Amino acid sequence: MKRLRLSRVAIAAAALALVGANLPLHANPVVTVSGDHFMREGKPYQIISGEMHFQRIPRPYWTDRLRKAKAMGLNTVTTYVFWNLIEPEKGRFDFTDNNDVAAFVKLAQHEGLNVILRPGPYICGEWDAGGYPAWLWTEPGMRVRSRDPRFLDAAESYLQHLGKQLAPLMASHGGPIIATELENEYGSYDDDKDYLKAIRERLQNAGLADDVLMTYDGPDALANGTLPDVTAVIDFAPGQARESFAALARFRPQGPRMAGEYWTGWFDKWGGKHAKTDPKQEADEVAWMLGQGYSLNMYMFHGGTNFGFMGGANYQYRASEHYGPMTTSYDYDAPLDEAGRITPKYELLREAITTATGRQPPEIPASTPVRSLPSFVLNEAASLWDNLPPAQHADQPLPMENYGQSYGYILYRTTIHGPFKGTLYIGDVRDYAAIYVDRKSAGTVDRRLKQVSINLDIASGEHALDVLVENTGRVNFGPRVLDGHAGLIDPVMLGNEVLHDWQVFPLPMTSPDTLHGWTTGKVEGPAFHRGSLDVTAPADTFLDTRAFDKGFAWLNGHNLGRIWSIGPQRDLYAPGPWFKKGANSVVVFDFGTPANPQMRGLDKRSWTGEQVPEL
């Protein structure tokens, strides 16, 4: 790829065009580094930031969340940009609607907030594949997060398009973006300085590196994850501030003191417990950091939601290896909850910041209402078997990316012959498989549990074997980020025999509009279930999902995210802007066969272990 660098003249012209286009924006002075602190307009400057990811928040709520950040005493917001949403197909870029990063940045500037930009290419963030688009894995042997020329060319193309949106909004051109992240926790992954230099060059070419450039790492990975002339900031958990800043001071005696990620909560994994952290400990530690003159970014200020199929997965590789997919909710036990409501943690942190800075923040905006809604029955059902697309033939099953699919489900079908009693080997499934013989459930294989096979006992004759695979979330952290394939990746074996001659049905589940075969009679899973919910005034709610086993839900065509009865999440956040006055369509896909397929709206969360009245 020919490398291009956006000219300063072009960026300045674009900046002038942006200012005043929709909002009254005021030029921001730059932030610079001087010794162990930041400077602005000739004075020491303390960055007090909170993290929120605009693509995890419905666009109508961006202003609300930004104003609440300001009201907590923050002067900066930090955001990731998820490459996989910006470029869902190779060469097709989407900066509209919830991907309009320039609009979000301009809103932040309008509210008097700085922005720290974390553009990737890699972001982790408990997001599918750490933000990498799935089409990268259609290139045989592609090594992401490396100096593989194919990867660097793809990253350059993405950053060039991002730069056209954001370079005019850098502080050096009067915009609010005071800093850009070079790489995210790279020191925990590798130590290839030439790779870091290659990413820096591409950020520079895109016009995104003219202000402060940062790397984020834990205390034990600082040396691996940065470059000598790049600002290193540090990530750590509550209770670790003193030792972490001491480690940063030893590593960079003359570098700024900043917590790049101070974890004010934690993420949830399917099958685990909902995270709860100590608000007072965090408020006291924030007060201490500010009292030392240190800068900080609270990860997260507002977590938001992994709508659709965007939740990622961790793969713990240092101790007991296991795959751990993330829940749909990214509540994170953050100061603002998933619906943007003020929490006791928010109040304590606001008090700590106000006391430490001596500045009274604006009044806290009123939160949008979260309402309970009466139970409604999903009284229509349609079988998945009646809604399959045309089959594609393969001698051996291949990952879903090979069929032009990035997310969702994929069905593999072949014929087997009995009698047989023994093992059906599925292999390292990505990530959850339900197996059917003649459309009857025969068992499941769950990557979380390190399962690779089931036992089969089938009668003589010819039988249809179906393997329905859910992509539950690509790994977003650690060395297994390299392998982003979803679906089946190994040969399937019946006993010692490798099975051939497969039909493959990609099921990206992009819309419920084409589903057919609806009936009010009982339909065995896997199936879709449809109902109508009447509302007089659209408002946020949490749709109770306890009647269902495993799948996902659409609200008026919006994918609210994954459902799984193992918890800890037992509901789905349904934003008010996605409702309409009158009848609203809810469609749930479920592997199982619900005995009583109904839902209702809750005005409070329903985590596993908490008391909620039965449906």
Side-chain angles (χ1 to χ4, degrees), residues 578-598:
W578 293 0
F579 282 95
K580 58 186 178 181
K581 185 177 180 180
N584 293 265
S585 172
V586 177
V587 177
V588 174
F589 172 74
D590 194 1
F591 276 97
T593 307
N596 187 16
Q598 61 175 305

Side-chain angles (χ1 to χ4, degrees), residues 247-259:
L248 181 59
R250 288 191 299 271
F251 177 69
R252 286 277 174 86
Q254 295 303 311
R257 307 289 186 260
M258 179 171 175

Side-chain angles (χ1 to χ4, degrees), residues 83-354:
W83 179 8
N84 64 333
L85 294 187
I86 299 296
E87 191 180 5
E89 300 170 12
K90 186 175 182 178
R92 182 174 71 83
F93 294 88
D94 180 7
F95 289 102
T96 64
D97 300 326
N98 241 67
N99 291 331
D100 192 344
V101 60
F104 175 80
V105 170
K106 286 188 282 184
L107 280 173
Q109 184 174 11
H110 180 66
E111 298 300 329
L113 292 162
N114 309 311
V115 175
I116 295 176
L117 179 69
R118 307 180 76 178
Y122 168 77
I123 53 84
C124 185
E126 292 72 63
W127 190 262
D128 190 89
Y132 288 141
W135 53 259
L136 288 172
W137 283 279
T138 63
E139 292 273 359
M142 164 82 80
R143 285 185 64 84
V144 300
R145 214 177 185 191
S146 79
R147 284 181 285 135
D148 183 327
R150 297 169 298 175
F151 170 72
L152 291 178
D153 284 349
E156 174 122 43
S157 176
Y158 157 65
L159 291 172
Q160 283 284 321
H161 281 81
L162 187 63
K164 291 175 182 176
Q165 300 286 319
L166 296 182
L169 295 170
M170 300 298 294
S172 51
H173 301 288
I177 302 174
I178 60 171
T180 302
E181 183 184 39
L182 167 58
E183 238 281 357
N184 185 46
E185 297 181 339
Y186 183 69
S188 300
Y189 180 78
D190 206 344
D191 61 355
D192 184 350
K193 305 300 184 181
D194 288 333
Y195 164 74
L196 291 176
K197 292 175 183 176
I199 296 298
R200 177 173 62 182
E201 179 184 355
R202 283 151 180 80
L203 287 168
Q204 290 169 337
N205 292 342
L208 299 174
D210 292 341
D211 291 88
V212 176
L213 201 58
M214 296 176 169
T215 53
Y216 293 53
D217 284 290
D220 59 349
L222 285 164
N224 288 349
T226 194
L227 296 171
D229 53 350
V230 172
T231 297
V233 299
I234 197 162
D235 300 351
F236 55 89
Q240 299 175 353
R242 286 169 171 80
E243 63 192 78
S244 296
F245 276 107
L248 181 59
R250 288 191 299 271
F251 177 69
R252 286 277 174 86
Q254 295 303 311
R257 307 289 186 260
M258 179 171 175
E261 288 187 9
Y262 177 63
W263 300 325
T264 50
W266 202 240
F267 53 78
D268 293 338
K269 295 188 288 187
W270 289 115
K273 294 181 179 180
H274 173 53
K276 285 285 186 182
T277 60
D278 186 340
K280 185 177 186 306
Q281 178 191 36
E282 291 161 17
D284 289 347
E285 203 158 34
V286 165
W288 178 84
M289 287 186 273
L290 294 177
Q292 301 299 308
Y294 300 155
S295 292
L296 63 92
N297 173 52
M298 286 171 270
Y299 190 102
M300 299 291 296
F301 164 71
H302 172 52
T305 309
N306 297 321
F307 291 117
F309 303 128
M310 291 299 108
N314 274 8
Y315 204 101
Q316 305 300 331
Y317 60 96
R318 288 185 176 135
S320 174
E321 286 199 359
H322 68 276
Y323 167 80
M326 303 299 157
T327 58
T328 296
S329 173
Y330 201 61
D331 178 88
Y332 211 83
D333 193 35
L336 283 189
D337 75 359
E338 188 176 359
R341 294 177 294 186
I342 305 299
T343 67
K345 183 179 290 188
Y346 178 103
E347 300 277 10
L348 285 173
L349 288 167
R350 185 176 191 260
E351 181 181 350
I353 294 167
T354 301

Side-chain angles (χ1 to χ4, degrees), residues 53 57 70 122 126 132-133 141 191 197 205 239 266 272 331 372 383 416 436 496 504 522 530:
H53 304 147
I57 306 166
K70 186 81 171 178
Y122 168 77
E126 292 72 63
Y132 288 141
D191 61 355
K197 292 175 183 176
N205 292 342
W266 202 240
D331 178 88
S372 59
S383 173
I416 56 177
Y436 305 87
N496 295 320
V504 182
K522 185 175 182 179
R530 183 170 68 182

